[in-house]
Amino acid sequence: MTFKKIELPYEYEALEPVIDAETMHVHYDKHHQAYTDKFNAYCESHDIDTNQDVRNIISSITTESDSALRNNLGGYHNHNMYWENLTPGGTTPSKTLTSALLKDGETMDDLRARLVALGMGQFGSGWAWLVVTSDGSITELTTSKQDHPMMPALAEQQGDTFQPILTIDVWEHAYYLQYKSSRKDYLEKIFDLINWDVVEKRYLEATA
Ligand code: MN3
């Protein structure tokens, strides 16, 4: 068995006009496929069990880990999460999730602004995340390159543990064909594609 990309839960053109079919093809067929192939090749050549939960491998990554493993593993898994937490037209978060997501007095538009600022604050390639901390609350963070919030280096640096419930790809390849250099426009619009049902499922698992 090898690690598999998720099947896209919608057609390539289904996220238009926010994400066009050409971007989807390049991103899912080329970029995500390349990470997946390299990750599987690494597992094969280093005798890593590909039948285990990929999060076990993520949790084993330290600053001493081979960057080829760290980057391709993250590139494989982060994209699976990203495709899964998008859906045509987005969904409306439940009352339970909304109250967990929003700080006092915030609206969903404020959350959108917070995520736009978060993604804009990531210098260079990386990912913007909503995560559940050890006390069960939701906070936001970014990671560089293909790093994942459960990689221990981040936990050590921040003194907490993080279980991701939402991720947004802020690599240029996620938006450049359509939005050119405007990461901000992409971030503002992708908020309308978020599948909050998937986010809530991850939230309930993380806080169970
Ligand atoms: Mn990407």
Side-chain angles (χ1 to χ4, degrees):
M1 201 184 105
T2 56
F3 288 106
K4 299 272 191 314
K5 290 192 303 185
I6 64 160
E7 295 283 324
L8 282 182
Y10 34 76
E11 301 297 322
Y12 286 94
E13 67 278 6
L15 302 182
E16 291 184 352
V18 178
I19 300 176
D20 67 14
E22 187 187 7
T23 298
M24 289 298 296
H25 276 290
V26 171
H27 201 175
Y28 178 80
D29 296 350
K30 306 293 183 193
H31 290 283
H32 192 190
Q33 190 64 50
Y35 289 119
T36 304
D37 291 347
K38 287 179 191 167
F39 174 47
N40 278 312
Y42 190 97
C43 289
E44 189 175 1
S45 62
H46 292 77
D47 216 19
I48 294 171
D49 176 13
T50 54
N51 290 305
Q52 64 183 312
D53 187 328
V54 72
R55 289 174 294 188
N56 291 341
I57 309 177
I58 289 170
S59 301
S60 76
I61 299 294
T62 68
T63 48
E64 280 80 47
S65 295
D66 193 338
S67 61
L69 173 61
R70 182 171 174 168
N71 291 332
N72 290 308
L73 160 64
Y76 159 72
H77 182 66
N78 296 352
H79 285 100
N80 273 352
M81 290 193 67
Y82 174 68
W83 306 126
E84 191 182 47
N85 65 215
L86 301 177
T87 195
T91 66
T92 304
S94 71
K95 278 188 180 160
T96 305
L97 183 63
T98 302
S99 64
L101 285 168
L102 301 181
K103 298 173 180 170
D104 282 347
E106 269 193 333
T107 64
M108 286 302 282
D109 274 341
D110 295 326
L111 177 62
R112 179 199 305 263
R114 193 144 55 86
L115 289 177
V116 170
L118 178 72
M120 291 303 291
Q122 168 59 34
F123 182 76
S125 299
W127 297 79
W129 306 82
L130 287 179
V131 296
V132 173
T133 64
S134 57
D135 70 3
S137 62
I138 297 175
T139 190
E140 67 242 22
L141 55 82
T142 61
T143 57
S144 290
K145 299 184 205 171
Q146 299 292 0
D147 280 359
H148 181 281
M150 287 169 69
M151 288 180 179
L154 188 68
E156 282 163 29
Q157 183 199 345
Q158 309 252 351
D160 203 349
T161 57
F162 306 106
Q163 297 191 70
I165 57 172
L166 171 72
T167 192
I168 300 173
D169 192 339
V170 296
W171 283 61
E172 278 192 347
H173 67 227
Y175 59 87
Y176 196 83
L177 288 174
Q178 256 181 296
Y179 296 93
K180 302 300 180 244
S181 61
S182 186
R183 183 188 286 185
K184 189 163 186 277
D185 287 347
Y186 158 75
L187 287 167
E188 279 173 353
K189 288 179 183 164
I190 202 170
F191 190 81
D192 296 325
L193 297 182
I194 294 174
N195 188 335
W196 294 108
D197 300 345
V198 168
V199 175
E200 178 159 17
K201 182 170 158 281
R202 293 174 183 162
Y203 171 69
L204 294 175
E205 283 168 6
T207 53

